[in-house]
Amino acid sequence: MATTPPVPYTPPPPLAGANLVLGTLAVSLAVFMNVLDTSIANVAIPTISGDLGVSIDEGTWVITSFAAANAISIPLTGWLTQRIGQVKLFVSSIILFVIASWLCGLAPTLPILLGARVMQGLVAGPMVPLSQALLLGSYPKSRSSFALALWAITAVVAPVVGPALGGWITDSYKWPWIFYINIPVGLLAAGITMTLYRSRETPTVKRPIDTLGLVLLVTWVASLQIMLDKGKDLDWFASPTIVILGVVAAISFSYFLIWELNNEHPIVDLRLFTRRNFAGGTLAISIGYGVFFGNLVLLPQWMQQYLGYRSIDAGLATAPIGIFAILVTPFVGKFLPRSDARWMATAAFFGFALVFYLRSRYNLQVDYWTVIMPTLLQGIPMALFFVPLTVILLSGLPPERIPAAAGLSNFVRVFCGAVGTSVATTAWNNRTIMHHAQLTEKATVYSPALQQSASDIRNLLGLDQGQTIAMIERNLSAQAAMLGINDIFWISAVIFIVIIPFIWITKPVKSPGGASAEAAAAAH
């Protein structure tokens, strides 16, 4: 396909007064709605699973399907913007997201819900980077840092509000409303954006798309994600289905690497990984995010299944993560230009390791404050995590390669979030089974401790032998699940320490004045 020569484009003047306030509000609402949906379903998974008649493990596909689809669509943002225009693409993404949210709420079965979530993830891809571009164009260059600081606060608040809001809606109404809530927010954001920005549309250019690269990307991402999600249920590679998915993923990924490295217009520029800072920064931020997000999904599930928390209580217990994140983020932007970003990122990884170590010491009698404390502290490493690593991975790149680099790093990070959720869920299940087997081996009729426990239960509660055995089994299952999730927390702490060297293979960088703010936007 021939490439249409670019049309000379003069950016419109910044917005002012009420239009600037409304424009910022509209763009922020769209970002809030988008990012909210990455976490709002976390605490509703047990309820959704119960209503749809599936296991909780299958219910987590509601999260991983959205993340995987979102990762696939992110690299297409640049090409779609050139073909459609910034404003039309942004508004179209919002409207399609609203439609997908409506379909999620109407879904009567898990397959239909997953299909709607995939649609949500696909249309959500362009929304975040375009919101950054529209916001930067709305403010004078001298206030770009301020504009992106507002954007960053919105992006940080949404995942904090998500679990609490999702829990409250699930308990007070019904789980479909966690999706229906997007409808008025999205329509308002789309209406204001179209009214204010339609005269600020960017010119369109017909550029060729890497069709084969896109097909290969979708094939290996989808195959790998389905393999990870279904592997536990199908006994992994004892199942022909898992073997086929694994082979398809491996072959398509191999061809994808070869094709993208040798294509003139690749859908993702893999040659960026030859740059030391990009490779080290992307690996560090992506693996770290995968571990963080996987644990973010598991914690509320454990609290609801084994500690008896309501959805809203589990959501509120994870909400404090944003308190320090919001308070510390402005200081990160202030001090980062005068410091070595590698030290900040290293401090973040040690902070995450400490948080997960504290969680690895939980027991079934853990009180609410002990659950909240590590979550509250986690806000500090969160503030030190995204921005410094993004500054590192984008450093040294010429301006024309920064959009491709930001898109590729975001793709890897979001996809690692989906993979991290699947791996964490599977690992928790496997460790729980192992601990249950070990506990059962010790719980024999010859065990004095078991005999005493059984006697106490019968005497205190007046249960017969069958009821007593059932209660002991429930206690064993709860204890096994607790030991299993403690293992995941401890392993997560170790992973954060182990991947610190990825930060230090990069070259030292000090960001210029506004770079840290732009990195804050690119990070999300």
Side-chain angles (χ1 to χ4, degrees), residues 190-251:
I192 296 175
T193 303
M194 197 62 194
T195 302
L196 291 180
Y197 289 91
R198 61 185 173 187
S199 61
R200 304 168 67 87
E201 185 61 276
T202 55
T204 56
V205 179
K206 289 187 177 180
R207 295 193 184 277
I209 186 172
D210 178 15
T211 306
L212 180 58
L214 177 59
V215 171
L216 291 170
L217 175 67
V218 172
T219 302
W220 77 258
V221 168
S223 300
L224 180 60
Q225 191 61 54
I226 295 171
M227 184 188 79
L228 292 172
D229 285 340
K230 293 287 291 181
K232 176 166 54 64
D233 298 331
L234 299 178
D235 197 20
W236 290 103
F237 292 100
S239 164
T241 302
I242 297 300
V243 172
I244 292 171
L245 287 170
V247 171
V248 170
I251 293 175

Side-chain angles (χ1 to χ4, degrees), residues 355-409:
V355 165
F356 288 120
Y357 171 73
L358 291 174
R359 285 180 177 155
S360 72
R361 301 173 65 82
Y362 284 167
N363 57 49
L364 292 175
Q365 287 73 46
V366 64
D367 61 87
Y368 198 65
W369 175 249
T370 306
V371 172
I372 289 177
M373 178 53 72
T375 305
L376 179 66
L377 294 176
Q378 192 168 324
I380 299 174
M382 264 194 73
L384 301 173
F385 177 65
F386 286 107
V387 178
L389 283 172
T390 306
V391 167
I392 289 171
L393 67 89
L394 295 181
S395 64
L397 289 168
E400 65 273 11
R401 298 194 75 185
I402 287 179
L408 178 54
S409 65

Side-chain angles (χ1 to χ4, degrees), residues 36-105:
L36 185 74
D37 263 48
T38 64
S39 63
I40 195 170
N42 289 5
V43 297
I45 292 301
T47 304
I48 293 173
S49 302
D51 284 358
L52 298 183
V54 299
S55 69
I56 290 180
D57 291 338
E58 290 174 308
T60 58
W61 301 347
V62 173
I63 299 169
T64 57
S65 59
F66 177 88
N70 189 228
I72 289 172
S73 65
I74 287 173
L76 290 173
T77 301
W79 181 81
L80 287 170
T81 301
Q82 292 175 333
R83 292 297 300 264
I84 300 173
Q86 253 182 26
V87 179
K88 288 180 182 175
L89 179 58
F90 185 68
V91 173
S92 299
S93 294
I94 295 174
I95 292 173
L96 289 172
F97 192 89
V98 166
I99 293 172
S101 300
W102 176 63
L103 293 175
C104 286

Side-chain angles (χ1 to χ4, degrees), residues 242-291:
I242 297 300
V243 172
I244 292 171
L245 287 170
V247 171
V248 170
I251 293 175
S252 55
F253 179 67
S254 300
Y255 274 103
F256 175 78
L257 291 179
I258 296 169
W259 178 259
E260 294 299 285
L261 289 172
N262 293 281
N263 189 19
E264 186 179 351
H265 300 285
I267 195 165
V268 290
D269 187 2
L270 296 178
R271 287 180 285 268
L272 286 163
F273 279 104
T274 61
R275 304 183 70 96
R276 206 165 85 190
N277 278 27
F278 181 84
T282 299
L283 287 172
I285 198 171
S286 300
I287 297 172
Y289 181 77
V291 175

